[in-house]
Amino acid sequence: MRCTNCGAMIPDDMLYCPECGMEVQIVPDYNPLEDVLAQEVKGSIEDATRQIRTDDIRRYRREGSREYSNSTRVLSQGELDEIRAKRNAAMRQSRQAGRNTAGNQRQTGRNTTGNIRQTGRGTTGNMRQTRPDTSSIRRQTTGNLRQRSEAEEKRRQQIARKKRLAKKRRQRALIIILLLIILGGVLGFAYYQNSYEGQIRKGNQALQSSDYSLAETYYNKAISKNNKKAEAYTGLSKVYIQQDDLEAAETVFLTAIGSQPSNVEIYKAAISFYVDTKQLIKVSELLDDCEYDEVLDGVRDYVSTEPEFSLEEGTYEEVQQVTLSTDNGTIYYTDDGSEPDTSSKKYTEPILLNKEGTNVIKAITVNKKKIPSLTASKTYVIELPIEDAPSVTPSTGQYESAGQITITVPEGYTAYYTMDNTDPTDPAVSAEEYTGPIDMPEGQTMFSAVLKNNNSGKYTQVTKRNYVLEISE
């Protein structure tokens, strides 16, 4: 509704204008005097045949208009019922007054016009007497509105109080949730600190600060919490590595593998340790002892198999050749009995065994990860047949004319001789190498000849001849 003073909109629950502060006058939207006036006019026409004067009706309307100029709102049902009851009482009084007026006219016989005027004046007076007391209605209406306002105020207070209580409950719930989160975080942090990961983290921090004793303690705690994970073993090995104790670091892994021979992760950690410390050959030594296929499959990139030999070990009476083969790397070998490495001879073609005696061939395979295999070794003995004692001509005897001594030398041999009956195979004797026929000396000569194998250095049996040369004149 709008304020009749300034025209501003007034909310339904307010009794004063928010702009000018004028009090809101609440009365019925209709004028009950109009009903009374209409009834009285009707009665006057029926009983007196004369209408009420127009100026009287206008006067009543002006008064009603002034009285109810601030009407802006429909009253409640109770208030309307009360107003209707008063209106009905006034109407009954008006009808009774009309009946009294008609009786007086019949008894006195006055002229109709005078009676009508008198009745009109009486009716007008009755209407004035029966006009509702608007001030009383306004007071009752104001009282009812005050009661309603107080009730609404109480309801608003109750709603506000409920809102405050709800807000407090929400605040308490948020505080409880926050406390639970904090408590959960504290418990989670405490759990993490005492967990495997927490011990590893603290061990790493101690290792970085070179507190080896504390780091060792944390890593051992981590192992006690979970001995299947490899991270703690790696950390513990680093404690010893930084103290230049590689043997103790290696023992960490070997002990763990001994108790868990099928744990692939620990094998991987041990291999990383050997690679980092440049002990590559120990990778093959470690895997050579492994009997679990799942482990070998898990670290197959580091497996380096030994080369295979085409010739079995043994003794041979003729020159031999041996072939080496592998399927996962490059082969390096030695033929002098030394240990092979990447600086040894690289295998590219079969190895010829043409040296009489013992031949030792050792070979390794180096895979793509630069991991050398264990050494494969084979021993071969070459024993070539020994020639018989050399053939020497002429045979033993006494000769009267000069001649030449000849030694038959087979291929692969060298002939040596002496002419003083000494042994040509004796290192202390200076034997002569045979290069061609030798003139037989005059007198008696004890000739000794021997053959030496050029490959094996072995000597044949010695052939001896006794010559006596006496030239006749």
Side-chain angles (χ1 to χ4, degrees):
M1 61 182 173
R2 295 184 177 275
C3 177
T4 57
N5 184 44
C6 65
M9 291 299 298
I10 303 176
D12 292 340
D13 57 348
M14 294 187 64
L15 300 179
Y16 295 91
C17 176
E19 296 295 331
C20 65
M22 184 174 182
E23 182 180 4
V24 175
Q25 302 295 328
I26 300 177
V27 295
D29 283 337
Y30 65 91
N31 191 345
L33 293 178
E34 292 180 357
D35 292 340
V36 176
L37 182 59
Q39 187 66 29
E40 290 298 325
V41 169
K42 182 179 179 181
S44 298
I45 294 173
E46 291 177 349
D47 297 336
T49 67
R50 190 183 71 85
Q51 295 182 348
I52 300 176
R53 290 181 299 178
T54 303
D55 55 341
D56 291 335
I57 295 174
R58 290 176 178 173
R59 185 175 62 254
Y60 291 144
R61 287 182 175 175
R62 283 196 301 271
E63 292 176 356
S65 176
R66 286 194 300 271
E67 187 71 18
Y68 301 102
S69 61
N70 292 331
S71 175
T72 58
R73 184 171 178 270
V74 177
L75 299 179
S76 65
Q77 187 62 43
E79 295 167 343
L80 291 174
D81 291 342
E82 183 179 357
I83 293 173
R84 287 193 182 101
K86 292 182 178 181
R87 184 190 64 184
N88 293 335
M91 291 173 63
R92 285 193 295 270
Q93 291 178 3
S94 178
R95 292 192 188 99
Q96 184 64 37
R99 285 193 292 270
N100 292 335
T101 303
N104 292 332
Q105 287 178 348
R106 285 191 297 269
Q107 291 175 5
T108 60
R110 295 178 180 177
N111 89 29
T112 302
T113 303
N115 290 337
I116 290 175
R117 290 177 179 174
Q118 184 177 356
T119 302
R121 286 194 296 272
T123 300
T124 302
N126 289 335
M127 290 176 61
R128 291 176 179 175
Q129 292 176 2
T130 58
R131 187 174 62 184
D133 189 355
T134 57
S135 62
S136 175
I137 294 174
R138 189 162 51 250
R139 284 193 300 272
Q140 292 178 358
T141 302
T142 303
N144 292 335
L145 290 176
R146 287 177 179 174
Q147 291 177 356
R148 289 183 60 189
S149 177
E150 291 176 356
E152 291 178 358
E153 182 64 24
K154 288 182 180 180
R155 185 172 62 84
R156 285 195 295 270
Q157 291 177 357
Q158 290 177 351
I159 293 174
R161 185 164 56 252
K162 289 181 179 180
K163 289 183 179 179
R164 288 195 298 271
L165 292 175
K167 183 178 180 181
K168 289 182 179 179
R169 284 194 295 268
R170 288 195 298 271
Q171 290 176 346
R172 285 196 296 267
L174 289 174
I175 292 173
I176 291 173
I177 292 173
L178 181 60
L179 291 176
L180 290 175
I181 292 173
I182 294 173
L183 180 61
V186 172
L187 293 177
F189 179 77
Y191 174 79
Y192 173 77
Q193 288 292 97
N194 292 312
S195 66
Y196 179 88
E197 292 76 11
Q199 298 299 321
I200 292 294
R201 184 182 62 82
K202 290 190 284 188
N204 292 339
Q205 291 176 347
L207 183 62
Q208 290 178 357
S209 61
S210 300
D211 192 343
Y212 302 125
S213 177
L214 184 59
E216 183 176 358
T217 299
Y218 285 133
Y219 289 132
N220 283 325
K221 286 183 178 180
I223 292 173
S224 66
K225 291 182 177 295
N226 190 336
N227 64 348
K228 298 185 182 300
K229 292 186 176 181
E231 191 174 4
Y233 298 106
T234 300
L236 188 58
S237 71
K238 289 180 180 179
V239 171
Y240 299 120
I241 291 173
Q242 292 192 11
Q243 298 179 80
D244 296 326
D245 191 350
L246 295 182
E247 184 177 354
E250 182 182 18
T251 302
V252 170
F253 296 107
L254 297 181
T255 302
I257 291 174
S259 61
Q260 302 179 63
S262 62
N263 191 319
V264 179
E265 296 304 318
I266 296 180
Y267 268 95
K268 289 181 178 179
I271 290 172
S272 296
F273 160 72
Y274 286 132
V275 172
D276 293 341
T277 56
K278 302 186 184 306
Q279 302 180 79
L280 301 181
I281 188 61
K282 290 192 175 182
V283 174
S284 294
E285 294 175 357
L286 176 69
L287 298 179
D288 185 61
D289 294 332
C290 180
E291 299 178 354
Y292 293 88
D293 292 337
E294 60 268 27
V295 173
L296 296 176
D297 185 63
V299 297
R300 58 181 174 273
D301 291 341
Y302 293 91
V303 176
S304 184
T305 56
E306 302 171 13
E308 295 182 358
F309 288 69
S310 63
L311 185 66
E312 294 295 330
E313 287 184 322
T315 300
Y316 298 90
E317 292 183 352
E318 58 185 7
V319 174
Q320 300 290 322
Q321 70 176 13
V322 61
T323 301
L324 306 179
S325 61
T326 185
D327 58 358
N328 69 341
T330 304
I331 298 175
Y332 297 88
Y333 75 97
T334 61
D335 56 7
D336 58 0
S338 62
E339 288 297 323
D341 54 28
T342 53
S343 63
S344 302
K345 297 177 182 178
K346 185 176 181 179
Y347 177 80
T348 57
E349 60 184 6
I351 302 170
L352 183 64
L353 303 176
N354 59 1
K355 180 181 178 182
E356 190 175 21
T358 301
N359 296 269
V360 179
I361 307 298
K362 293 184 177 182
I364 60 171
T365 298
V366 178
N367 66 10
K368 294 180 180 180
K369 290 284 188 180
K370 307 301 181 183
I371 304 299
S373 69
L374 297 180
T375 301
S377 177
K378 298 288 184 181
T379 301
Y380 304 99
V381 178
I382 305 298
E383 293 183 354
L384 300 176
I386 299 174
E387 292 285 340
D388 294 333
S391 175
V392 178
T393 58
S395 61
T396 299
Q398 186 174 355
Y399 295 91
E400 294 180 352
S401 58
Q404 289 184 322
I405 303 171
T406 303
I407 303 174
T408 301
V409 182
E411 186 179 357
Y413 287 84
T414 301
Y416 294 90
Y417 68 93
T418 61
M419 301 179 69
D420 57 0
N421 200 27
T422 57
D423 185 358
T425 63
D426 186 353
V429 175
S430 298
E432 295 289 338
E433 181 179 349
Y434 178 79
T435 59
I438 304 166
D439 292 333
M440 183 183 297
E442 191 173 358
Q444 184 175 4
T445 301
M446 296 299 297
F447 188 83
S448 301
V450 70
L451 297 176
K452 183 180 181 181
N453 189 299
N454 294 334
N455 290 323
S456 64
K458 291 183 178 182
Y459 291 96
T460 64
Q461 296 295 324
V462 177
T463 299
K464 292 186 177 184
R465 296 288 186 265
N466 183 7
Y467 299 111
V468 177
L469 176 59
E470 294 180 354
I471 301 174
S472 60
E473 295 180 358

